[in-house]
Amino acid sequence: MKNAAKQQITVLGSTGSIGVSTLDVIARHPERYTVYALTANSRIDGILLQCERFKPEVAVVGTAEAAQVLQSALRQKGLATEVLYGEDALCQVAGAPRTDTVMAAIVGSAGLAPALAAANAGKKVLLANKEALVMSGQLFIDAVHQNGATLLPIDSEHNAIFQCLPPTYMRSPEHYGIEKITLTASGGPFLTLDLNLLDSVTPEQAIKHPKWVMGRKISVDSATMMNKGLEVIEAHWLFGMPSGQIDVVIHPQSIIHSMVSFLDGSVVAQMSYPDMRLPIAYALAYPERISSGVAPLDLAKVGLLQFESPDYRRFPCLRLAYEALDAGGIMPIALNAANEIAVAAFLEQHLGFARISEVVERVLDKSAGKSTATDLESVLQHDNRARELAKSLIFP
Ligand code: NAD
Ligand code: MG
């Protein structure tokens, strides 16, 4: 491939778990990809090393002070990368004419505005930041369609579903003989823990995921299964699937990443060892295939694949997510915002693990009947309102 044909990539959240895996895949294919921009919130040493290696045109960090530190360190090393800071700069690099592909891998609601900016600019959007889609739903999907953007799911389950659906699939399950989709879940570290002990688990225990190495927030979400709940809502928007046709099954080995059931009884599943470089490589090269660095699957070595239904007593967050999706309107925004606050409070040891779902449920109760949010500003207003409500419940 000639230099001119290389994809110019912006990696939003490049110092995170997904960001690092993305750069790993990019580094394997220098003939295909170059990095246009990298962004990090606070890990300046991390993004400095990444800038030395990938030589982006632009780097974005959280604050003016951090930008100054990074800019002078880059100058000292003779690198020409321009350093910007703040949310406007994130939106700028996401929508820049010089980039064609944007990996949206900032965690939580902070990633919404830049992900939406990429969609509005008609980019190929690789969406890891599920919270952005949960919050903005139809707004995001409309931005993709109205601006000719391409939306490719990075979440391993949705990437699996995307791989299993017919290539012409267009968000209408009834036209393709699709009965349901099933998202798999590992069940997290507390799948078999005595229910009475759940409230005394520590952040260290919660973030120690049995199958995936991920950021702290999503690791806690996996332990409560709010992650799967957010993914149910994400699947609804990505694939135009009603909640009644989205199932969840616990599969502790994390080999089957999700599956599609058709009317004739066929079930098409996607399998691999659990490693995010696979969905990232798939989306980067789509519709082609490239190597990802993931070892070939040896099913004889894996041996056993198990499945069980999730227990809502152990995982009330999953039930709450289905309820928020069915209630519609701003309820998914409230669900996500309350969860972000409750998880942060748990990580800072201000809230017991079992109280995460209680906070989310109470915020949902208090948000019921509120209207819809049809633009970014009102999404962020409702997000903020739910955050304040959650804080007032945690710190009365
Ligand atoms: P992480 O915590 O490891 O990294 C988060 C990144 O976002 C970092 O680069 C950080 O600098 C940046 N960031 C955080 N707060 C920010 C802010 N306020 N402004 C700007 N940048 C900010 O998280 P992760 O595990 O890489 O997850 C990223 C996203 O991908 C999440 O939405 C997560 O749900 C999703 N995801 C992750 C995985 C996984 O395996 N890690 C799998 C599926 C989906
Ligand atoms: Mg996932």
Side-chain angles (χ1 to χ4, degrees):
M1 205 177 283
K2 283 210 193 85
N3 216 13
K6 282 189 190 184
Q7 270 184 62
Q8 295 271 351
I9 303 180
T10 288
V11 185
L12 302 170
S14 64
T15 51
S17 162
I18 293 288
V20 168
S21 293
T22 303
L23 291 176
D24 181 285
V25 176
I26 289 175
R28 288 167 193 275
H29 302 280
E31 73 294 353
R32 282 178 174 259
Y33 308 114
T34 59
V35 175
Y36 166 71
L38 296 174
T39 88
N41 196 33
S42 55
R43 277 178 240 161
I44 303 308
D45 44 347
I47 197 170
L48 174 62
L49 289 173
Q50 292 180 338
C51 287
E52 284 183 68
R53 179 147 185 227
F54 292 95
K55 303 192 169 46
E57 291 181 30
V58 189
V60 181
V61 291
T63 62
E65 300 75 59
Q68 248 174 18
V69 173
L70 180 62
Q71 187 75 78
S72 66
L74 287 167
R75 287 274 148 72
Q76 269 176 19
K77 293 180 187 293
L79 291 166
T81 303
E82 179 190 5
V83 183
L84 306 172
Y85 67 91
E87 187 176 272
D88 288 350
L90 290 174
C91 294
Q92 193 182 316
V93 293
R98 296 270 299 125
T99 190
D100 29 57
T101 301
V102 176
M103 167 57 80
I106 290 173
V107 59
S109 59
L112 172 58
L116 203 53
N120 281 326
K123 304 300 181 194
K124 178 168 154 182
V125 184
L126 278 45
L127 187 72
N129 180 202
K130 67 195 85 185
E131 297 92 342
L133 189 55
V134 167
M135 291 170 74
S136 60
Q138 193 65 52
L139 177 68
F140 201 94
I141 296 301
D142 288 347
V144 168
H145 290 153
Q146 286 162 12
N147 298 289
T150 305
L151 181 57
L152 294 168
I154 294 299
D155 222 339
S156 56
E157 298 76 4
H158 307 73
N159 191 274
I161 299 286
F162 189 82
Q163 293 192 44
C164 295
L165 286 169
T168 56
Y169 183 78
M170 289 287 289
R171 305 183 78 251
S172 53
E174 63 282 8
H175 292 142
Y176 294 84
I178 293 167
E179 199 164 69
K180 66 172 182 180
I181 60 177
T182 304
L183 307 179
T184 53
S186 71
F190 308 135
L191 180 57
T192 55
L193 185 75
D194 183 332
L195 280 181
N196 297 316
L197 298 178
L198 261 190
D199 206 39
S200 51
V201 301
T202 64
E204 288 64 39
Q205 290 171 305
I207 61 180
K208 209 162 168 274
H209 196 275
K211 290 290 167 196
W212 301 92
V213 181
M214 310 181 286
R216 284 156 58 87
K217 192 260 177 184
I218 183 176
S219 297
V220 177
D221 285 350
S222 296
T224 61
M225 273 184 84
M226 179 58 92
N227 182 50
K228 211 51 52 183
L230 297 174
E231 290 181 359
V232 167
I233 301 175
E234 183 185 13
H236 165 76
W237 290 114
L238 283 172
F239 306 119
M241 204 73 69
S243 69
Q245 284 172 272
I246 308 172
D247 250 10
V248 170
V249 71
I250 292 178
H251 166 45
Q253 292 79 16
S254 299
I255 295 293
I256 292 184
H257 298 302
S258 280
M259 40 204 152
V260 179
S261 303
F262 294 88
L263 286 176
D264 59 5
S266 287
V267 178
V268 180
Q270 186 261 342
M271 294 191 270
S272 73
Y273 289 119
D275 187 324
M276 289 308 293
R277 290 177 301 174
L278 194 149
I280 291 167
Y282 179 83
L284 276 173
Y286 178 80
E288 295 171 32
R289 295 260 182 183
I290 56 172
S291 63
S292 62
V294 180
L297 181 60
D298 184 339
L299 279 175
K301 260 195 196 146
V302 173
L304 186 68
L305 300 181
Q306 293 165 302
F307 304 93
E308 64 180 272
S309 292
D311 172 359
Y312 283 164
R313 279 174 315 152
R314 182 177 295 278
F315 300 114
C317 285
L318 180 60
R319 168 181 59 81
L320 293 173
Y322 270 108
E323 288 174 6
L325 174 58
D326 288 338
I330 60 121
M331 296 299 264
I333 303 176
L335 174 93
N336 179 66
N339 182 58
E340 283 191 27
I341 294 298
V343 169
F346 167 69
L347 284 170
E348 284 155 24
Q349 295 182 298
H350 298 307
L351 190 72
F353 182 80
R355 286 207 56 218
I356 295 174
S357 64
E358 287 175 29
V359 169
V360 173
E361 182 148 29
R362 288 186 62 191
V363 170
L364 285 176
D365 285 346
K366 286 174 185 284
S367 306
K370 296 273 181 326
S371 55
T372 53
T374 49
D375 56 32
L376 179 59
E377 204 184 8
S378 61
V379 170
L380 294 175
Q381 266 169 11
H382 286 291
D383 171 75
N384 203 38
R385 188 189 150 275
R387 274 166 202 278
E388 293 308 318
L389 209 50
K391 281 184 202 158
S392 71
L393 294 171
I394 299 168
F395 306 105

